[in-house]
Amino acid sequence: MRVFVAGATGAVGSLLVPMLVAAGHEVTGTSRTPAGAERIRSLGATAVTADALDAEGLRQTVGAAAPEAVIHQLTDLSDADGAANGRLRREGTRNLVEAARAAGVGRIVAQSISWAYAPGEGPADEAVPLDNAATEPRAGTVAAVRALEETAAELETAVVLRYGLLYGPGTWYAPGGAFAAALAGDRSARFLGSTVANDAVSSFVHVADAAGAALAALDWPGGPVNIVDDEPAPAREWLPALADALGAPAPDAVAGRLGWQRGALNTLAHSRGWRPERPTWRTGFAAQGDAR
């Protein structure tokens, strides 16, 4: 299959491209820089320089690639700028979908998040609505996610992968990353997360497992799918384990959880044959520590 990967040099995209190539797909990947394009070529794919916010340029790039499927792994998180990432979710997704439609593409696999669900008790499955009653600043995040998912769904088949918190190479939770720096007291560390060891429940997924899900989703029916590991957990449990793996100090545990901090279930993904190679953050975090 001819596959166009938007965001091919990101934490997920850089692992996904070689998986696609190894599976026999003909891959075209995008980067905004010549250096990124060279990295894509080194992975065995065709590289193009493209900016998702340039609608006409993206239309021409996708048209020239003539893909049979588009995979959306676009993010703008290097500066932990939620507004910039929200703009990319809204405008970049719109431009990518319009470019795909103009090229006659009917299938898209798009990256979303699994912590935009409405408040409730227990981890959320895909039947739970998005948190449309959220207040700012969360409201802006949820609105951008909703725009991304609704725009992707304009194509004939749109598989929306609602990833858990990504950890592993190239993420904020990797050794030497922003999370470790924040735990160590570096006030300049920038990431959109929390270092509070409270009752807030999160679901994680390793970037390699996230990439594997994107590969598998090329054959899935449309709709949202949570891509998370098997163990949603409160921060008072996972945060000390991650701090230990990163060699960073862990904060004292405290009480408290907002209603939307509930984690997510991966039952639907399991039913489609996806199994994370790192089924729990417990072993995943420890492996990061071993590699440190």
Side-chain angles (χ1 to χ4, degrees):
M1 182 185 296
R2 295 186 305 279
V3 181
F4 186 93
V5 181
T9 58
V12 176
S14 60
L15 297 178
L16 171 60
V17 167
M19 290 182 183
L20 290 165
V21 171
H25 296 292
E26 183 180 329
V27 182
T28 299
T30 73
S31 173
R32 288 180 292 181
T33 68
E38 183 56 39
R39 290 198 300 274
I40 293 168
R41 283 189 284 271
S42 73
L43 298 174
T46 299
V48 291
T49 303
D51 184 343
L53 298 179
D54 175 4
E56 182 55 33
L58 190 62
R59 181 188 294 258
Q60 293 178 10
T61 300
V62 175
E68 297 165 272
V70 167
I71 298 182
H72 176 348
Q73 296 289 346
L74 295 164
T75 60
D76 188 353
L77 292 169
S78 58
D79 293 324
D81 185 338
N85 198 50
R87 183 188 178 198
L88 191 59
R89 281 176 172 148
R90 295 188 305 273
E91 298 179 26
T93 304
R94 168 54 61 196
N95 293 340
L96 184 60
V97 166
E98 293 295 343
R101 181 184 288 116
V105 180
R107 173 174 286 273
I108 187 170
V109 175
Q111 177 185 141
S112 187
I113 59 175
S114 66
W115 58 94
Y117 287 112
E121 295 298 323
D125 64 18
E126 295 81 358
V128 174
L130 297 181
D131 190 4
N132 296 319
T135 57
E136 293 295 353
R138 176 170 165 80
T141 297
V142 176
V145 167
R146 183 171 60 252
L148 180 156
E149 296 191 358
E150 290 178 351
T151 301
E154 293 174 11
L155 295 182
E156 181 180 354
T157 304
V159 186
V160 175
L161 303 179
R162 292 176 174 169
Y163 289 150
L165 292 175
L166 294 167
Y167 71 98
T171 72
W172 290 326
Y173 298 94
F179 185 78
L183 288 178
D186 182 354
R187 296 188 178 183
S188 68
R190 300 190 63 186
F191 72 104
L192 301 177
S194 172
T195 57
V196 179
N198 59 8
D199 300 311
V201 176
S202 294
S203 288
F204 282 87
V205 66
H206 192 279
V207 283
D209 288 323
L215 170 62
L218 287 172
D219 295 320
W220 288 356
V225 187
N226 291 334
I227 302 299
V228 298
D229 75 14
D230 298 345
E231 189 177 0
R236 56 181 161 74
E237 291 186 16
W238 67 256
L239 202 155
L242 181 55
D244 181 64
L246 298 176
D252 293 334
V254 296
R257 177 185 80 90
L258 298 177
W260 60 267
Q261 295 171 324
R262 56 189 298 187
L265 296 173
N266 62 14
T267 306
L268 178 57
H270 275 209
S271 75
R272 295 185 178 177
W274 178 79
R275 295 288 190 280
E277 292 187 12
R278 300 148 195 86
T280 168
W281 49 268
R282 296 180 189 275
T283 54
F285 290 172
Q288 284 198 145
D290 292 342
R292 183 165 53 90

